Amino acid sequence: MAESPFKADIERVQKEYSEKMTPGAIVYLPGSSVVNKTGSWRVFMPEFNRDKCVRCYLCYIYCPEPAIYLDDENYPVFDYDYCKGCGICANECPTEAIVMVRETK
Amino acid sequence: MPIRKVMKANEAAAWAAKLAKPKVIAAFPITPSTLVPEKISEFVADGELDAEFIKVESEHSAISACVGASAAGVRTFTATASQGLALMHEILFIAAGMRLPIVIAVGNRALSAPINIWNDWQDTISERDTGWLQFYAENNQEALDLILIAFKVAEDERVLLPAMVGFDAFILTHTVEPVEIPDQELVDEFLGEYMPKHAYLDPAKPITQGALGFPAHYMEARYGVWEANENAKKVIDEVFAEFEKKFGRKYQKIEEYRTEDADIIFVTMGSLAGTLKEYVDMLREKGVKVGAAKITVYRPFPTEEVRELAKKTKVLALLEKNVTFSVGGALFQDFSRALVNESEKPKIVDFILGLGGRDVTFKDLDEALAIAQKALTGEEFEEVNWIGLRKEIL
């Protein structure tokens, strides 16, 4: 998987962030949301077929999270820690390189 | 020197607020507690209380303003009753979840429909699962004292939970009694200034309060409220002891009255405890072995004290001005829970009475006693009984 463009932020917060619950669940550290995984309620997940991809970046542009990065060769990479399974990427993909499949845990 | 003034419980609550020196009071008038914010607004207008008095357009706004003020880091107070408290319901959870030590004075009143402005406890009882601490006053003095105590307990770092103090509509809110107003210096010593370490507004140290809690964190946050309620049990005992030392008036989570060698102990809350003590005196003169117990602290529920109480008697007769439909009263559930795994336990009989301001008379208590005595002698008895019900109009 390609490196997250937020790597530096995540590392900074991870260093200072304490998992300890505070009274009233108060968040004392700005930016701590980057260490909280927000993809937990996903039902469908995007499955990516690299062979069909034409690198149009529509998925990358339309991802509302954004949970799609581009790798060194400009192919999309899906970050499942943050992807909520909305399916917009699959809907936008002109070549059907992305299909939504039911995810089971 | 403390001064004695003749006043209603509403005024006593306003005086308690004045003595506690909250920085923000947001309130909306509702019968029977209207006089509380009225009196406080007088104190503020006369310069006797240095606070921001926010006039809001509903109780939902009143408690929301209190949450905002408390989250900014100041002592906060409001008063309400019945439908007003019900309208606050949504925000009550938020105040507890955010661990903001707001104090509400509640003139305990019935809920609609039919519209009824008189006393029962259904309003606060319905909020028992919000995480708030709950105190119930027997008289006007207790209304004043318990509000000061509520602030002290709520703001304790081991607790950090909001608290409500209930006093019966009209029976207390509109009835005058002599009330001792403690010295301001003593109250200042007792309460101190509210200096929150967890929730306050500081641009140099920004924090996020009330943020989204994912499944990964929500349960732990809720457990925090649970744990704080457990911690409050010990803290309340400490604060009661300190209060007694400073002001000379003794409080207990469950106050017992003539429970020694009692076969039947009546249990109740609020002003009914006064009637009950008279009733017990009368029965004791006749040689009937009964006692009374008053729940002063309802949340956190005094489980250990209930178990101790249960050891002293054969029948616990609960007198409740609230209903949980198809089950009985709230105390009935709580007492049953507290004793369910005890090897030896008294019989529990539940009485629902005095709803919507109906007087509870000795005649009603006689009716309850007769059923409790059935339980005592091993006869069959109903677990839940509506006392003083006018069956002829049903």
Side-chain angles (χ1 to χ4, degrees):
Chain A
M1 191 168 111
E3 217 164 65
S4 162
F6 307 111
K7 190 170 175 258
D9 277 337
I10 292 171
E11 276 175 2
R12 174 184 64 80
V13 174
Q14 268 171 344
K15 214 174 127 194
E16 296 173 46
Y17 181 76
S18 157
E19 257 279 46
K20 286 267 181 227
M21 185 56 68
T22 56
I26 292 171
V27 182
Y28 294 100
L29 188 65
S32 56
S33 61
V34 295
V35 296
N36 287 314
K37 314 275 186 264
T38 53
S40 60
W41 63 65
R42 186 173 57 234
V43 177
F44 291 96
M45 64 185 288
E47 205 171 67
F48 176 57
N49 184 339
R50 196 180 168 99
D51 297 337
K52 286 189 183 172
C53 180
V54 293
R55 289 182 279 186
C56 67
Y57 316 140
L58 280 178
C59 59
Y60 170 80
I61 290 163
Y62 278 98
C63 177
E65 280 309 304
I68 300 173
Y69 316 135
L70 296 180
D71 67 11
D72 300 339
E73 294 170 62
N74 286 337
Y75 281 105
V77 176
F78 299 83
D79 187 340
Y80 293 112
D81 281 346
Y82 299 98
C83 169
K84 296 184 175 66
C86 69
I88 290 174
C89 54
N91 205 45
E92 291 298 332
C93 182
T95 63
E96 292 178 2
I98 305 167
V99 284
M100 300 303 288
V101 296
R102 183 175 282 275
E103 185 181 8
T104 50
K105 276 182 194 152
Chain B
M1 279 289 286
I3 50 166
R4 274 167 87 80
K5 264 173 91 98
V6 171
M7 62 171 82
K8 302 164 184 171
N10 275 339
E11 289 174 279
W15 269 96
K18 180 177 180 280
L19 290 164
K21 296 182 180 168
K23 286 281 182 288
V24 173
I25 299 108
F28 188 82
I30 182 166
T31 301
S33 64
T34 305
L35 192 68
V36 183
E38 271 181 10
K39 189 80 189 160
I40 291 173
S41 68
E42 274 176 36
F43 286 141
V44 174
D46 294 345
E48 289 177 45
L49 173 61
D50 180 23
E52 194 72 40
F53 187 91
I54 308 177
K55 287 168 277 183
V56 286
E57 83 284 6
S58 77
E59 287 84 354
H60 191 278
S61 308
I63 188 66
S64 298
C66 287
V67 163
S70 191
V74 295
R75 187 171 287 158
T76 313
F77 181 80
T78 184
T80 194
S82 184
Q83 310 296 129
L85 188 65
L87 187 52
M88 288 180 177
H89 177 72
E90 179 197 5
I91 311 297
L92 296 180
F93 279 91
I94 294 171
M98 286 171 71
R99 311 288 295 280
L100 302 173
I102 301 161
V103 172
I104 298 185
V106 183
N108 278 120
R109 169 190 146 183
L111 280 162
S112 305
I115 298 168
N116 180 297
I117 58 169
W118 294 274
N119 165 242
D120 66 34
W121 312 320
Q122 196 66 57
D123 51 1
T124 44
I125 287 292
S126 299
E127 306 302 345
R128 76 197 141 145
D129 296 337
T130 52
W132 284 57
L133 310 174
Q134 290 198 358
F135 299 84
Y136 288 82
E138 180 187 332
N139 52 45
N140 297 357
Q141 184 69 58
E142 290 197 9
L144 188 148
D145 292 350
L146 287 174
I147 288 170
L148 299 178
I149 286 165
F151 271 117
K152 176 100 174 163
V153 175
E155 289 169 6
D156 192 288
E157 274 180 45
R158 292 164 289 175
V159 180
L160 293 172
L161 282 177
M164 52 181 77
V165 178
F167 39 90
D168 290 345
F170 297 101
I171 301 169
L172 298 181
T173 59
H174 287 61
T175 305
V176 290
E177 282 180 348
V179 173
E180 187 176 300
I181 302 166
D183 281 338
Q184 183 67 61
E185 299 81 58
L186 265 187
V187 175
D188 288 347
E189 260 177 50
F190 175 69
L191 275 183
E193 209 179 322
Y194 175 49
M195 298 289 281
K197 286 192 185 145
H198 73 304
Y200 57 93
L201 192 63
D202 179 3
K205 209 178 141 210
I207 57 170
T208 304
Q209 298 186 54
L212 177 67
F214 281 92
H217 290 103
Y218 180 83
M219 232 175 124
E220 283 71 17
R222 295 302 286 171
Y223 183 77
V225 179
W226 169 282
E227 202 179 29
N229 259 278
E230 291 301 308
N231 293 347
K233 291 178 183 176
K234 187 168 169 275
V235 174
I236 287 169
D237 284 337
E238 287 172 22
V239 173
F240 279 169
E242 198 184 330
F243 190 89
E244 189 188 354
K245 222 167 137 190
K246 272 217 155 57
F247 303 100
R249 285 184 291 278
K250 186 177 176 169
Y251 287 95
Q252 288 168 295
K253 287 178 208 150
I254 297 183
E255 187 190 307
E256 293 179 26
Y257 185 74
R258 304 189 77 166
T259 51
E260 73 285 352
D261 74 344
D263 291 330
I264 300 167
I265 295 179
F266 286 102
V267 185
T268 193
M269 312 197 296
S271 66
L272 186 53
T275 314
L276 190 58
K277 285 173 197 167
E278 289 264 336
Y279 184 66
V280 165
D281 281 344
M282 192 195 79
L283 289 180
R284 282 278 181 179
E285 269 174 40
K286 290 181 189 168
V288 188
K289 285 201 254 171
V290 291
K294 175 181 75 180
I295 309 275
T296 304
V297 182
Y298 176 63
R299 283 288 182 274
F301 190 70
T303 306
E304 294 75 18
E305 286 81 357
V306 164
R307 286 180 186 154
E308 285 307 309
L309 185 73
K311 284 178 191 156
K312 295 179 178 165
T313 187
K314 292 171 187 139
V315 176
L316 282 171
L318 312 177
L319 306 172
E320 311 200 52
K321 294 188 190 176
N322 63 83
V323 192
T324 297
F325 294 105
S326 89
V327 174
L331 286 179
F332 187 45
Q333 294 175 61
D334 291 318
F335 272 65
S336 304
R337 197 282 304 182
L339 301 176
V340 67
N341 286 329
E342 298 293 283
S343 52
E344 280 189 30
K345 54 195 164 210
K347 285 180 178 142
I348 307 177
V349 205
D350 195 30
F351 299 102
I352 290 160
L353 73 188
L355 298 187
R358 181 165 302 177
D359 279 341
V360 178
T361 63
F362 277 15
K363 205 171 138 256
D364 297 323
L365 296 179
D366 281 341
E367 203 180 320
L369 178 70
I371 297 166
Q373 278 170 335
K374 268 193 195 177
L376 182 64
T377 53
E379 282 177 66
E380 263 188 46
F381 65 98
E382 288 286 326
E383 278 182 344
V384 181
N385 306 275
W386 288 61
I387 297 295
L389 193 68
R390 296 172 59 206
K391 293 205 174 94
E392 67 276 13
I393 62 167
L394 286 172

